[in-house]
Amino acid sequence: MVIKARAALVYSNRDLAGVGIAEHIKRILGFKEHGSYKDMVFYTYEDIVLAGFDEDVIYFEFLDNYLDVEYYIVLSRHSSKAKIKSLTVHHTGNPTSRADAGGRPKELAIAFPPMAKKLITLLDRYATEEGLRDEYDVTLEVTHHGPTSLRKPLVFIEIGSTPDEWRDEKARKVVAQVVIDAITSPLPECTPATGFGGGHYARKHTKVMLNTEYCLGHIFSKHVMVEVSEDIILQAFSKSVPPSKCVVIEKKGVKSLHRKLIRRLAEEHELCIVEV
């Protein structure tokens, strides 16, 4: 059984944040329960499907077996040892030989830069309007964890970083409204790019996303660059809808050796180079 739709909003039934966001989306748009299949319960509204699964979101490699859609948005919790209150957007993939949290080593999922730009822009706006900006950090994260092998682009939107935030109805409602507005209005015209440098929370790239014409697909932190191969960089350029046209490099966040590699590959593939 494969369900065909324009877009799929997916979450884990074990995820407090994902379930909470999904409940608000169902209520606001009037999703109707459509049925269940194996471990999936799904709801529909016009050309959108909302589906919950028993598996954790980082192991959602099987989605293509259930859903035939143009793209996925994953509603999820975010965990952090620092317990930072955060509302985040990111793409998925394992840029190194490690795959400690789902997916395959040295494999990137297909990024969706215009949707990521729309989500982070709306998240920043609505969090400010609803007074969450004083409590929550609104930011992009770098590419990390699974799933990595789906055939369609996907973006994660998350609430972090502890059960208190995952249960926060105000945060859940804000994220739900962001997702609703993102899927029911046109995507922005923007220049897709691959990002390099900075920490796990891609603060400079977030500013680029919010304040310029660029929209970021995969972003690699300075911490993984020592292990990032040419193949991974080329995957990042191509595994993006649309493909990257530029690279955005955080000058102080990428060592000279790695900058030279990025610049060479960008020039070979006729991508513009932006330093921030």
Side-chain angles (χ1 to χ4, degrees):
M1 178 180 179
V2 178
I3 302 161
K4 188 173 179 60
R6 178 172 63 88
L9 314 178
V10 295
Y11 60 96
S12 169
N13 297 321
R14 299 184 292 166
D15 183 331
L16 288 174
V19 169
I21 297 165
E23 288 300 322
H24 282 286
I25 292 173
K26 281 189 283 187
R27 180 181 56 79
I28 294 168
L29 283 184
F31 271 83
K32 303 298 183 184
E33 184 169 346
H34 200 90
S36 60
Y37 178 67
K38 295 185 178 179
D39 66 344
M40 174 181 67
V41 177
F42 61 100
Y43 308 81
T44 55
Y45 169 79
E46 295 184 353
D47 57 355
I48 308 295
V49 61
L50 176 68
F53 300 87
D54 291 340
E55 188 59 88
D56 192 278
V57 291
I58 62 175
Y59 304 116
F60 273 11
E61 304 291 345
F62 54 79
L63 290 181
D64 290 336
N65 298 329
Y66 292 84
L67 302 163
D68 178 7
V69 296
E70 294 177 13
Y71 62 86
Y72 301 101
I73 296 177
V74 184
L75 317 174
S76 177
R77 70 192 183 282
H78 169 68
S79 299
S80 163
K81 290 181 180 179
K83 298 182 180 181
I84 296 169
K85 289 189 172 186
S86 57
L87 302 172
T88 72
V89 173
H90 76 89
H91 293 108
T92 62
N94 293 313
T96 72
S97 59
R98 297 187 304 277
D100 301 327
R104 298 170 180 165
K106 296 186 178 181
E107 182 176 68
L108 305 180
I110 302 172
F112 197 5
M115 179 58 76
K117 185 178 184 74
K118 184 102 184 237
L119 290 171
I120 196 69
T121 301
L122 291 171
L123 201 52
D124 182 67
R125 182 193 309 167
Y126 293 168
T128 301
E129 291 174 356
E130 295 299 322
L132 286 176
R133 221 41 182 89
D134 295 334
E135 296 180 64
Y136 285 81
D137 190 8
V138 177
T139 182
L140 297 173
E141 292 180 86
V142 296
T143 295
H144 67 298
H145 73 60
T148 62
S149 60
L150 295 172
R151 295 188 298 271
K152 300 296 175 64
L154 76 157
V155 186
F156 269 62
I157 186 166
E158 303 179 338
I159 299 173
S161 297
T162 74
D164 288 341
E165 288 76 54
W166 304 340
R167 294 188 182 97
D168 185 339
E169 289 298 339
K170 197 170 185 179
R172 288 171 164 182
K173 188 175 181 180
V174 162
V175 173
Q177 194 61 60
V178 164
V179 172
I180 289 167
D181 288 4
I183 63 175
T184 57
S185 59
L187 291 175
E189 293 187 9
C190 57
T191 303
T194 298
F196 299 88
H200 180 85
Y201 298 99
R203 304 193 191 285
K204 283 197 175 180
H205 290 98
T206 301
K207 290 180 180 178
V208 167
M209 192 85 108
L210 292 173
N211 300 314
T212 75
E213 76 275 19
Y214 299 105
C215 46
L216 278 299
H218 289 291
I219 307 172
F220 302 125
S221 75
K222 61 185 177 183
H223 306 295
V224 302
M225 282 308 302
V226 68
E227 297 183 63
V228 169
S229 64
E230 287 192 21
D231 174 69
I232 287 295
I233 295 173
L234 296 179
Q235 275 193 55
F237 293 169
S238 63
K239 284 191 165 182
S240 173
V241 178
S244 288
K245 293 183 178 179
C246 296
V247 295
V248 178
I249 306 169
E250 186 176 323
K251 287 184 288 188
K252 295 183 179 179
V254 179
K255 291 183 179 179
S256 175
L257 176 68
H258 302 138
R259 277 205 310 275
K260 288 178 181 177
L261 171 63
I262 296 162
R263 293 181 71 91
R264 175 174 66 79
L265 293 174
E267 289 168 357
E268 288 176 359
H269 290 80
E270 301 182 334
L271 273 62
C272 72
I273 299 168
V274 180
E275 292 191 330
V276 295

